[in-house]
Each structure stands twice: as C-alpha cells, then as structure tokens.
Short mmCIF file of all heavy atoms in Angstrom, two decimals:
data_model
loop_
_atom_site.label_atom_id
_atom_site.label_comp_id
_atom_site.label_asym_id
_atom_site.label_seq_id
_atom_site.Cartn_x
_atom_site.Cartn_y
_atom_site.Cartn_z
N MET A 1 2.97 12.82 21.99
CA MET A 1 2.44 11.95 23.00
C MET A 1 3.48 11.59 24.05
O MET A 1 3.10 11.23 25.16
CB MET A 1 1.90 10.66 22.34
CG MET A 1 0.66 10.84 21.50
SD MET A 1 -0.75 11.24 22.49
CE MET A 1 -1.27 12.74 21.77
N ILE A 2 4.75 11.61 23.70
CA ILE A 2 5.78 11.22 24.66
C ILE A 2 5.80 12.14 25.88
O ILE A 2 5.82 11.64 27.01
CB ILE A 2 7.16 11.13 23.98
CG1 ILE A 2 7.15 9.97 22.99
CG2 ILE A 2 8.27 10.93 25.00
CD1 ILE A 2 8.39 9.86 22.14
N PRO A 3 5.78 13.47 25.72
CA PRO A 3 5.74 14.31 26.92
C PRO A 3 4.47 14.11 27.74
O PRO A 3 4.48 14.18 28.97
CB PRO A 3 5.80 15.74 26.39
CG PRO A 3 6.38 15.63 25.05
CD PRO A 3 5.96 14.29 24.52
N LEU A 4 3.38 13.82 27.08
CA LEU A 4 2.11 13.62 27.76
C LEU A 4 2.09 12.30 28.54
O LEU A 4 1.36 12.16 29.51
CB LEU A 4 0.97 13.64 26.73
CG LEU A 4 -0.43 13.84 27.23
CD1 LEU A 4 -0.54 15.16 27.97
CD2 LEU A 4 -1.40 13.80 26.08
N SER A 5 2.92 11.34 28.13
CA SER A 5 2.91 10.03 28.78
C SER A 5 3.47 10.08 30.20
O SER A 5 3.27 9.15 30.97
CB SER A 5 3.70 9.02 27.95
OG SER A 5 5.07 9.37 27.92
N ARG A 6 4.17 11.13 30.58
CA ARG A 6 4.72 11.25 31.93
C ARG A 6 3.67 11.73 32.94
O ARG A 6 3.89 11.66 34.14
CB ARG A 6 5.90 12.20 31.94
CG ARG A 6 6.99 11.74 31.00
CD ARG A 6 8.09 12.72 30.96
NE ARG A 6 9.30 12.03 31.41
CZ ARG A 6 10.41 12.61 31.73
NH1 ARG A 6 10.49 13.92 31.68
NH2 ARG A 6 11.45 11.91 32.10
N SER A 7 2.55 12.20 32.43
CA SER A 7 1.49 12.70 33.30
C SER A 7 0.76 11.54 33.97
O SER A 7 0.57 10.47 33.39
CB SER A 7 0.49 13.51 32.48
OG SER A 7 -0.66 13.81 33.23
N VAL A 8 0.34 11.77 35.21
CA VAL A 8 -0.39 10.74 35.94
C VAL A 8 -1.79 10.59 35.37
O VAL A 8 -2.31 9.48 35.23
CB VAL A 8 -0.46 11.09 37.45
CG1 VAL A 8 -1.34 10.11 38.19
CG2 VAL A 8 0.94 11.13 38.03
N PHE A 9 -2.40 11.70 35.00
CA PHE A 9 -3.78 11.68 34.52
C PHE A 9 -3.87 11.24 33.05
O PHE A 9 -4.68 10.39 32.69
CB PHE A 9 -4.42 13.06 34.72
CG PHE A 9 -5.88 13.10 34.39
CD1 PHE A 9 -6.81 12.53 35.24
CD2 PHE A 9 -6.33 13.71 33.23
CE1 PHE A 9 -8.15 12.56 34.94
CE2 PHE A 9 -7.67 13.74 32.92
CZ PHE A 9 -8.59 13.17 33.77
N TRP A 10 -3.04 11.86 32.18
CA TRP A 10 -3.12 11.61 30.74
C TRP A 10 -2.17 10.52 30.26
O TRP A 10 -2.21 10.11 29.11
CB TRP A 10 -2.82 12.89 29.96
CG TRP A 10 -3.81 13.97 30.18
CD1 TRP A 10 -3.61 15.12 30.87
CD2 TRP A 10 -5.16 14.01 29.72
NE1 TRP A 10 -4.74 15.87 30.87
CE2 TRP A 10 -5.72 15.22 30.17
CE3 TRP A 10 -5.95 13.14 28.97
CZ2 TRP A 10 -7.02 15.57 29.89
CZ3 TRP A 10 -7.24 13.50 28.69
CH2 TRP A 10 -7.77 14.71 29.16
N GLY A 11 -1.30 10.03 31.11
CA GLY A 11 -0.28 9.06 30.71
C GLY A 11 -0.83 7.78 30.09
O GLY A 11 -0.36 7.37 29.03
N PRO A 12 -1.79 7.11 30.73
CA PRO A 12 -2.32 5.88 30.13
C PRO A 12 -2.95 6.10 28.75
O PRO A 12 -2.75 5.29 27.84
CB PRO A 12 -3.36 5.40 31.13
CG PRO A 12 -2.93 5.99 32.43
CD PRO A 12 -2.32 7.32 32.08
N MET A 13 -3.67 7.21 28.59
CA MET A 13 -4.27 7.48 27.29
C MET A 13 -3.19 7.75 26.25
O MET A 13 -3.29 7.30 25.09
CB MET A 13 -5.21 8.69 27.37
CG MET A 13 -5.95 8.94 26.07
SD MET A 13 -6.93 10.44 26.05
CE MET A 13 -5.67 11.68 26.06
N ALA A 14 -2.13 8.45 26.62
CA ALA A 14 -1.04 8.73 25.69
C ALA A 14 -0.36 7.43 25.25
O ALA A 14 0.00 7.27 24.07
CB ALA A 14 -0.03 9.68 26.33
N MET A 15 -0.19 6.49 26.17
CA MET A 15 0.44 5.22 25.82
C MET A 15 -0.43 4.43 24.84
O MET A 15 0.07 3.82 23.89
CB MET A 15 0.70 4.39 27.08
CG MET A 15 1.70 5.01 28.02
SD MET A 15 3.30 5.28 27.29
CE MET A 15 3.92 3.62 27.32
N VAL A 16 -1.73 4.44 25.05
CA VAL A 16 -2.65 3.74 24.15
C VAL A 16 -2.63 4.38 22.77
O VAL A 16 -2.61 3.68 21.74
CB VAL A 16 -4.08 3.71 24.74
CG1 VAL A 16 -5.09 3.22 23.73
CG2 VAL A 16 -4.11 2.86 25.99
N ILE A 17 -2.61 5.69 22.71
CA ILE A 17 -2.57 6.38 21.42
C ILE A 17 -1.26 6.08 20.70
O ILE A 17 -1.25 5.82 19.49
CB ILE A 17 -2.77 7.90 21.62
CG1 ILE A 17 -4.21 8.18 22.04
CG2 ILE A 17 -2.42 8.66 20.34
CD1 ILE A 17 -4.47 9.63 22.41
N MET A 18 -0.14 6.08 21.41
CA MET A 18 1.14 5.76 20.77
C MET A 18 1.15 4.33 20.25
O MET A 18 1.64 4.06 19.15
CB MET A 18 2.29 5.97 21.77
CG MET A 18 2.62 7.42 22.01
SD MET A 18 4.15 7.66 22.91
CE MET A 18 3.77 6.95 24.50
N GLY A 19 0.61 3.40 21.01
CA GLY A 19 0.54 2.01 20.55
C GLY A 19 -0.34 1.87 19.33
O GLY A 19 0.01 1.15 18.38
N GLY A 20 -1.46 2.54 19.32
CA GLY A 20 -2.36 2.50 18.17
C GLY A 20 -1.72 3.09 16.93
O GLY A 20 -1.89 2.57 15.82
N LEU A 21 -0.99 4.18 17.10
CA LEU A 21 -0.31 4.78 15.95
C LEU A 21 0.77 3.85 15.40
O LEU A 21 0.94 3.74 14.18
CB LEU A 21 0.32 6.12 16.35
CG LEU A 21 -0.66 7.28 16.53
CD1 LEU A 21 0.05 8.48 17.12
CD2 LEU A 21 -1.28 7.64 15.20
N MET A 22 1.48 3.16 16.27
CA MET A 22 2.51 2.22 15.80
C MET A 22 1.89 1.04 15.06
O MET A 22 2.36 0.65 13.99
CB MET A 22 3.35 1.72 16.97
CG MET A 22 4.36 2.74 17.45
SD MET A 22 5.53 2.07 18.60
CE MET A 22 4.61 2.21 20.12
N VAL A 23 0.82 0.48 15.60
CA VAL A 23 0.16 -0.65 14.95
C VAL A 23 -0.43 -0.22 13.61
O VAL A 23 -0.29 -0.93 12.60
CB VAL A 23 -0.92 -1.26 15.87
CG1 VAL A 23 -1.79 -2.25 15.12
CG2 VAL A 23 -0.27 -1.91 17.07
N ALA A 24 -1.07 0.94 13.57
CA ALA A 24 -1.66 1.42 12.32
C ALA A 24 -0.59 1.68 11.27
O ALA A 24 -0.79 1.40 10.08
CB ALA A 24 -2.46 2.69 12.59
N THR A 25 0.56 2.20 11.68
CA THR A 25 1.66 2.44 10.74
C THR A 25 2.18 1.13 10.18
O THR A 25 2.41 1.01 8.97
CB THR A 25 2.79 3.22 11.44
OG1 THR A 25 2.26 4.46 11.91
CG2 THR A 25 3.94 3.48 10.49
N LEU A 26 2.38 0.14 11.02
CA LEU A 26 2.86 -1.16 10.54
C LEU A 26 1.86 -1.83 9.61
O LEU A 26 2.24 -2.42 8.59
CB LEU A 26 3.18 -2.07 11.72
CG LEU A 26 4.39 -1.66 12.56
CD1 LEU A 26 4.52 -2.57 13.78
CD2 LEU A 26 5.65 -1.69 11.73
N LEU A 27 0.58 -1.74 9.93
CA LEU A 27 -0.44 -2.31 9.05
C LEU A 27 -0.45 -1.61 7.69
O LEU A 27 -0.57 -2.25 6.65
CB LEU A 27 -1.82 -2.21 9.69
CG LEU A 27 -2.12 -3.18 10.82
CD1 LEU A 27 -3.50 -2.87 11.41
CD2 LEU A 27 -2.07 -4.60 10.33
N THR A 28 -0.32 -0.28 7.71
CA THR A 28 -0.34 0.49 6.47
C THR A 28 0.88 0.17 5.61
O THR A 28 0.78 0.10 4.39
CB THR A 28 -0.41 1.99 6.78
OG1 THR A 28 -1.57 2.24 7.57
CG2 THR A 28 -0.46 2.81 5.52
N LEU A 29 2.03 -0.02 6.23
CA LEU A 29 3.25 -0.24 5.47
C LEU A 29 3.40 -1.68 4.96
O LEU A 29 3.98 -1.90 3.90
CB LEU A 29 4.47 0.12 6.32
CG LEU A 29 4.66 1.60 6.60
CD1 LEU A 29 5.84 1.80 7.53
CD2 LEU A 29 4.88 2.37 5.31
N PHE A 30 2.91 -2.67 5.70
CA PHE A 30 3.18 -4.06 5.35
C PHE A 30 1.93 -4.86 4.98
O PHE A 30 1.90 -5.54 3.97
CB PHE A 30 3.90 -4.77 6.50
CG PHE A 30 5.25 -4.17 6.79
CD1 PHE A 30 5.46 -3.45 7.94
CD2 PHE A 30 6.28 -4.31 5.89
CE1 PHE A 30 6.69 -2.89 8.21
CE2 PHE A 30 7.52 -3.75 6.14
CZ PHE A 30 7.73 -3.04 7.30
N PHE A 31 0.90 -4.80 5.79
CA PHE A 31 -0.26 -5.66 5.58
C PHE A 31 -1.12 -5.21 4.40
O PHE A 31 -1.51 -6.03 3.57
CB PHE A 31 -1.10 -5.71 6.87
CG PHE A 31 -2.33 -6.56 6.75
CD1 PHE A 31 -2.22 -7.93 6.70
CD2 PHE A 31 -3.58 -5.98 6.67
CE1 PHE A 31 -3.34 -8.73 6.58
CE2 PHE A 31 -4.71 -6.76 6.55
CZ PHE A 31 -4.59 -8.14 6.50
N LEU A 32 -1.43 -3.94 4.30
CA LEU A 32 -2.31 -3.47 3.24
C LEU A 32 -1.72 -3.64 1.84
O LEU A 32 -2.43 -4.06 0.93
CB LEU A 32 -2.72 -2.02 3.49
CG LEU A 32 -3.66 -1.81 4.67
CD1 LEU A 32 -4.00 -0.35 4.84
CD2 LEU A 32 -4.92 -2.64 4.52
N PRO A 33 -0.42 -3.36 1.60
CA PRO A 33 0.13 -3.64 0.27
C PRO A 33 0.11 -5.13 -0.07
O PRO A 33 -0.15 -5.51 -1.21
CB PRO A 33 1.56 -3.11 0.34
CG PRO A 33 1.52 -2.08 1.40
CD PRO A 33 0.53 -2.57 2.40
N ALA A 34 0.37 -5.99 0.91
CA ALA A 34 0.33 -7.43 0.66
C ALA A 34 -1.10 -7.87 0.35
O ALA A 34 -1.32 -8.70 -0.54
CB ALA A 34 0.87 -8.18 1.86
N LEU A 35 -2.06 -7.34 1.06
CA LEU A 35 -3.46 -7.66 0.81
C LEU A 35 -3.88 -7.19 -0.58
O LEU A 35 -4.58 -7.91 -1.31
CB LEU A 35 -4.35 -7.03 1.88
CG LEU A 35 -5.82 -7.36 1.85
CD1 LEU A 35 -6.03 -8.83 2.13
CD2 LEU A 35 -6.56 -6.51 2.86
N TYR A 36 -3.45 -6.01 -0.97
CA TYR A 36 -3.75 -5.49 -2.30
C TYR A 36 -3.16 -6.40 -3.38
O TYR A 36 -3.81 -6.73 -4.36
CB TYR A 36 -3.18 -4.08 -2.44
CG TYR A 36 -3.39 -3.47 -3.81
CD1 TYR A 36 -4.56 -2.82 -4.13
CD2 TYR A 36 -2.41 -3.56 -4.79
CE1 TYR A 36 -4.77 -2.28 -5.38
CE2 TYR A 36 -2.59 -3.03 -6.04
CZ TYR A 36 -3.77 -2.39 -6.34
OH TYR A 36 -3.97 -1.86 -7.58
N ALA A 37 -1.91 -6.83 -3.20
CA ALA A 37 -1.26 -7.71 -4.18
C ALA A 37 -1.99 -9.04 -4.28
O ALA A 37 -2.11 -9.60 -5.37
CB ALA A 37 0.20 -7.92 -3.80
N LEU A 38 -2.48 -9.57 -3.18
CA LEU A 38 -3.21 -10.83 -3.22
C LEU A 38 -4.58 -10.69 -3.87
O LEU A 38 -4.98 -11.52 -4.69
CB LEU A 38 -3.40 -11.38 -1.80
CG LEU A 38 -2.16 -11.98 -1.15
CD1 LEU A 38 -2.48 -12.34 0.30
CD2 LEU A 38 -1.70 -13.19 -1.91
N LEU A 39 -5.30 -9.63 -3.54
CA LEU A 39 -6.65 -9.46 -4.07
C LEU A 39 -6.66 -9.13 -5.55
O LEU A 39 -7.52 -9.58 -6.30
CB LEU A 39 -7.40 -8.38 -3.28
CG LEU A 39 -7.79 -8.77 -1.86
CD1 LEU A 39 -8.46 -7.58 -1.17
CD2 LEU A 39 -8.71 -9.96 -1.85
N TYR A 40 -5.72 -8.31 -6.01
CA TYR A 40 -5.70 -7.88 -7.40
C TYR A 40 -4.68 -8.66 -8.22
O TYR A 40 -4.44 -8.33 -9.38
CB TYR A 40 -5.45 -6.39 -7.48
CG TYR A 40 -6.61 -5.61 -6.94
CD1 TYR A 40 -6.59 -5.06 -5.67
CD2 TYR A 40 -7.77 -5.44 -7.70
CE1 TYR A 40 -7.67 -4.37 -5.17
CE2 TYR A 40 -8.85 -4.75 -7.22
CZ TYR A 40 -8.80 -4.22 -5.95
OH TYR A 40 -9.87 -3.52 -5.46
N ARG A 41 -4.07 -9.68 -7.64
CA ARG A 41 -3.12 -10.56 -8.31
C ARG A 41 -2.04 -9.79 -9.06
O ARG A 41 -1.83 -9.96 -10.26
CB ARG A 41 -3.83 -11.51 -9.25
CG ARG A 41 -4.89 -12.34 -8.54
CD ARG A 41 -5.26 -13.54 -9.34
NE ARG A 41 -6.48 -14.17 -8.87
CZ ARG A 41 -6.58 -14.86 -7.75
NH1 ARG A 41 -5.56 -15.00 -6.97
NH2 ARG A 41 -7.72 -15.42 -7.40
N VAL A 42 -1.36 -8.92 -8.36
CA VAL A 42 -0.26 -8.14 -8.93
C VAL A 42 0.92 -9.09 -9.13
O VAL A 42 1.34 -9.76 -8.19
CB VAL A 42 0.13 -6.98 -7.99
CG1 VAL A 42 1.34 -6.24 -8.54
CG2 VAL A 42 -1.04 -6.05 -7.81
N PRO A 43 1.47 -9.16 -10.36
CA PRO A 43 2.58 -10.08 -10.58
C PRO A 43 3.85 -9.61 -9.87
O PRO A 43 4.06 -8.42 -9.67
CB PRO A 43 2.77 -10.06 -12.10
CG PRO A 43 2.20 -8.77 -12.53
CD PRO A 43 1.09 -8.45 -11.55
N GLY A 44 4.67 -10.58 -9.49
CA GLY A 44 5.94 -10.25 -8.85
C GLY A 44 6.96 -9.77 -9.85
O GLY A 44 6.69 -9.63 -11.04
N ARG A 45 8.17 -9.54 -9.39
CA ARG A 45 9.22 -9.04 -10.27
C ARG A 45 9.68 -10.08 -11.28
O ARG A 45 10.20 -9.74 -12.32
CB ARG A 45 10.41 -8.59 -9.44
CG ARG A 45 10.11 -7.38 -8.61
CD ARG A 45 11.32 -6.95 -7.85
NE ARG A 45 10.96 -5.86 -6.98
CZ ARG A 45 11.80 -4.96 -6.56
NH1 ARG A 45 13.05 -5.04 -6.88
NH2 ARG A 45 11.40 -3.98 -5.79
N GLU A 46 9.53 -11.37 -10.97
CA GLU A 46 10.00 -12.41 -11.87
C GLU A 46 9.10 -12.60 -13.09
O GLU A 46 9.45 -13.29 -14.02
CB GLU A 46 10.17 -13.73 -11.13
CG GLU A 46 8.87 -14.34 -10.64
CD GLU A 46 8.43 -13.81 -9.30
OE1 GLU A 46 9.18 -13.07 -8.64
OE2 GLU A 46 7.30 -14.12 -8.91
N ALA A 47 7.91 -12.00 -13.09
CA ALA A 47 6.99 -12.14 -14.21
C ALA A 47 7.53 -11.39 -15.42
O ALA A 47 8.06 -10.29 -15.31
CB ALA A 47 5.61 -11.61 -13.84
N GLU A 48 7.38 -12.01 -16.59
CA GLU A 48 7.87 -11.40 -17.82
C GLU A 48 6.89 -10.32 -18.28
O GLU A 48 5.68 -10.54 -18.30
CB GLU A 48 8.00 -12.48 -18.89
CG GLU A 48 8.66 -12.00 -20.14
CD GLU A 48 8.89 -13.15 -21.10
OE1 GLU A 48 9.33 -14.21 -20.66
OE2 GLU A 48 8.61 -12.95 -22.30
N PRO A 49 7.38 -9.16 -18.66
CA PRO A 49 6.47 -8.09 -19.10
C PRO A 49 5.79 -8.47 -20.42
O PRO A 49 6.39 -9.11 -21.28
CB PRO A 49 7.37 -6.87 -19.27
CG PRO A 49 8.75 -7.40 -19.38
CD PRO A 49 8.77 -8.71 -18.68
N ARG A 50 4.53 -8.10 -20.55
CA ARG A 50 3.78 -8.40 -21.76
C ARG A 50 4.00 -7.32 -22.80
O ARG A 50 4.13 -6.14 -22.48
CB ARG A 50 2.28 -8.47 -21.45
CG ARG A 50 1.92 -9.59 -20.52
CD ARG A 50 0.44 -9.65 -20.31
NE ARG A 50 -0.01 -8.38 -19.75
CZ ARG A 50 -1.27 -7.94 -19.77
NH1 ARG A 50 -2.19 -8.65 -20.33
NH2 ARG A 50 -1.59 -6.79 -19.23
N ARG A 51 4.03 -7.72 -24.07
CA ARG A 51 4.14 -6.76 -25.16
C ARG A 51 2.72 -6.37 -25.55
O ARG A 51 1.89 -7.23 -25.82
CB ARG A 51 4.86 -7.37 -26.35
CG ARG A 51 5.10 -6.38 -27.45
CD ARG A 51 6.03 -6.97 -28.50
NE ARG A 51 6.53 -5.95 -29.38
CZ ARG A 51 5.87 -5.48 -30.43
NH1 ARG A 51 4.68 -5.93 -30.71
NH2 ARG A 51 6.40 -4.56 -31.20
N ILE A 52 2.45 -5.09 -25.61
CA ILE A 52 1.13 -4.60 -25.96
C ILE A 52 1.10 -4.31 -27.45
O ILE A 52 1.87 -3.50 -27.96
CB ILE A 52 0.77 -3.34 -25.14
CG1 ILE A 52 0.79 -3.67 -23.65
CG2 ILE A 52 -0.58 -2.79 -25.57
CD1 ILE A 52 0.63 -2.48 -22.77
N GLU A 53 0.22 -5.01 -28.17
CA GLU A 53 0.09 -4.82 -29.60
C GLU A 53 -0.85 -3.65 -29.87
O GLU A 53 -1.85 -3.48 -29.19
CB GLU A 53 -0.48 -6.09 -30.26
CG GLU A 53 0.39 -7.31 -30.08
CD GLU A 53 1.71 -7.19 -30.81
OE1 GLU A 53 1.77 -6.50 -31.84
OE2 GLU A 53 2.68 -7.80 -30.34
N PRO A 54 -0.54 -2.83 -30.87
CA PRO A 54 -1.45 -1.71 -31.18
C PRO A 54 -2.76 -2.25 -31.75
O PRO A 54 -2.79 -3.19 -32.52
CB PRO A 54 -0.68 -0.90 -32.22
CG PRO A 54 0.33 -1.82 -32.78
CD PRO A 54 0.65 -2.83 -31.71
N ASP A 55 -3.83 -1.65 -31.34
CA ASP A 55 -5.15 -2.04 -31.79
C ASP A 55 -5.47 -1.31 -33.08
O ASP A 55 -5.32 -0.10 -33.18
CB ASP A 55 -6.18 -1.70 -30.71
CG ASP A 55 -7.55 -2.26 -31.01
OD1 ASP A 55 -7.71 -3.04 -31.96
OD2 ASP A 55 -8.48 -1.92 -30.27
N GLU A 56 -5.93 -2.05 -34.11
CA GLU A 56 -6.20 -1.43 -35.41
C GLU A 56 -7.32 -0.41 -35.33
O GLU A 56 -7.29 0.59 -36.04
CB GLU A 56 -6.56 -2.52 -36.41
CG GLU A 56 -5.41 -3.43 -36.74
CD GLU A 56 -5.80 -4.49 -37.74
OE1 GLU A 56 -6.82 -4.32 -38.44
OE2 GLU A 56 -5.08 -5.49 -37.81
N ALA A 57 -8.29 -0.64 -34.46
CA ALA A 57 -9.41 0.30 -34.37
C ALA A 57 -8.98 1.60 -33.69
O ALA A 57 -9.47 2.68 -34.03
CB ALA A 57 -10.55 -0.32 -33.60
N LEU A 58 -8.04 1.52 -32.75
CA LEU A 58 -7.63 2.71 -32.04
C LEU A 58 -6.50 3.46 -32.73
O LEU A 58 -6.44 4.67 -32.70
CB LEU A 58 -7.20 2.34 -30.61
CG LEU A 58 -8.29 1.75 -29.73
CD1 LEU A 58 -7.70 1.33 -28.40
CD2 LEU A 58 -9.39 2.77 -29.52
N MET A 59 -5.58 2.72 -33.38
CA MET A 59 -4.42 3.34 -34.02
C MET A 59 -4.24 2.78 -35.43
O MET A 59 -3.35 1.96 -35.66
CB MET A 59 -3.17 3.10 -33.19
CG MET A 59 -3.19 3.73 -31.83
SD MET A 59 -1.65 3.44 -31.00
CE MET A 59 -2.19 2.40 -29.69
N PRO A 60 -5.06 3.18 -36.40
CA PRO A 60 -4.96 2.60 -37.73
C PRO A 60 -3.62 2.91 -38.43
O PRO A 60 -3.14 2.12 -39.21
CB PRO A 60 -6.14 3.22 -38.50
CG PRO A 60 -6.59 4.35 -37.68
CD PRO A 60 -6.13 4.14 -36.29
N ALA A 61 -3.00 4.04 -38.14
CA ALA A 61 -1.74 4.39 -38.76
C ALA A 61 -0.62 3.45 -38.33
O ALA A 61 0.22 3.05 -39.12
CB ALA A 61 -1.37 5.84 -38.45
N LEU A 62 -0.61 3.06 -37.07
CA LEU A 62 0.42 2.15 -36.58
C LEU A 62 0.17 0.73 -37.06
O LEU A 62 1.11 -0.02 -37.29
CB LEU A 62 0.48 2.20 -35.04
CG LEU A 62 1.02 3.47 -34.43
CD1 LEU A 62 0.94 3.38 -32.91
CD2 LEU A 62 2.46 3.71 -34.85
N ALA A 63 -1.07 0.34 -37.20
CA ALA A 63 -1.41 -1.02 -37.61
C ALA A 63 -1.05 -1.24 -39.08
O ALA A 63 -0.77 -2.36 -39.50
CB ALA A 63 -2.87 -1.31 -37.37
N ALA A 64 -1.04 -0.19 -39.90
CA ALA A 64 -0.77 -0.31 -41.33
C ALA A 64 0.71 -0.54 -41.58
O ALA A 64 1.09 -1.07 -42.62
CB ALA A 64 -1.24 0.95 -42.05
N GLU A 65 1.58 -0.18 -40.66
CA GLU A 65 3.03 -0.31 -40.89
C GLU A 65 3.49 -1.72 -40.87
O GLU A 65 3.12 -2.63 -40.36
CB GLU A 65 3.80 0.47 -39.84
CG GLU A 65 3.60 1.95 -39.98
CD GLU A 65 4.34 2.73 -38.89
OE1 GLU A 65 5.00 2.11 -38.02
OE2 GLU A 65 4.24 3.93 -38.89
#
C-alpha cells in the first residue's frame, strides 16, 4: 500500500486501507485476548494451579493405589 499511497487517484484509498490494517492488527493483538480472558474468566499467573485427582470411574487402576 505504501507505493500506491503516492498516487493521486489511489492514494486516499491506500491510506484508508493502511489505517484499517493497523487498527485491525492492534485489536487482534490486544483487545481480543483481553476480551477472551474477561468472558471466559481465564486466571492470571498469580492463581495457584489446581491438582487434578484421578477419577475412579475413568482410571480404576490409579484409584486403587
């Protein structure tokens, strides 16, 4: 788009496309991951990891030990 932006005819459209690509990239990198973390309540790094206990119905050999 940069070479096209020097054109008198296509220049304004090239500038709009470049601006849209920049805004879309910033939204994809910053806004959408933050929105995902808020909607699905993803814990932060300070959260303590949970220990997963083996289920007796799914793994009877491990539950017997």
Side-chain angles (χ1 to χ4, degrees):
M1 291 291 124
I2 292 173
L4 197 59
S5 66
R6 301 177 120 193
S7 170
V8 174
F9 186 74
W10 296 109
M13 185 186 69
M15 295 301 284
V16 169
I17 290 173
M18 285 191 294
L21 286 172
M22 284 190 276
V23 169
T25 301
L26 291 175
L27 285 176
T28 302
L29 290 176
F30 297 110
F31 179 72
L32 290 180
L35 185 65
Y36 178 85
L38 286 174
L39 289 177
Y40 292 101
R41 303 198 194 288
V42 176
R45 292 182 185 206
E46 67 275 352
E48 188 174 316
R50 295 183 301 160
R51 185 170 194 277
I52 300 173
E53 299 293 331
D55 189 8
E56 293 180 19
L58 296 175
M59 296 183 247
L62 290 177
E65 293 178 0

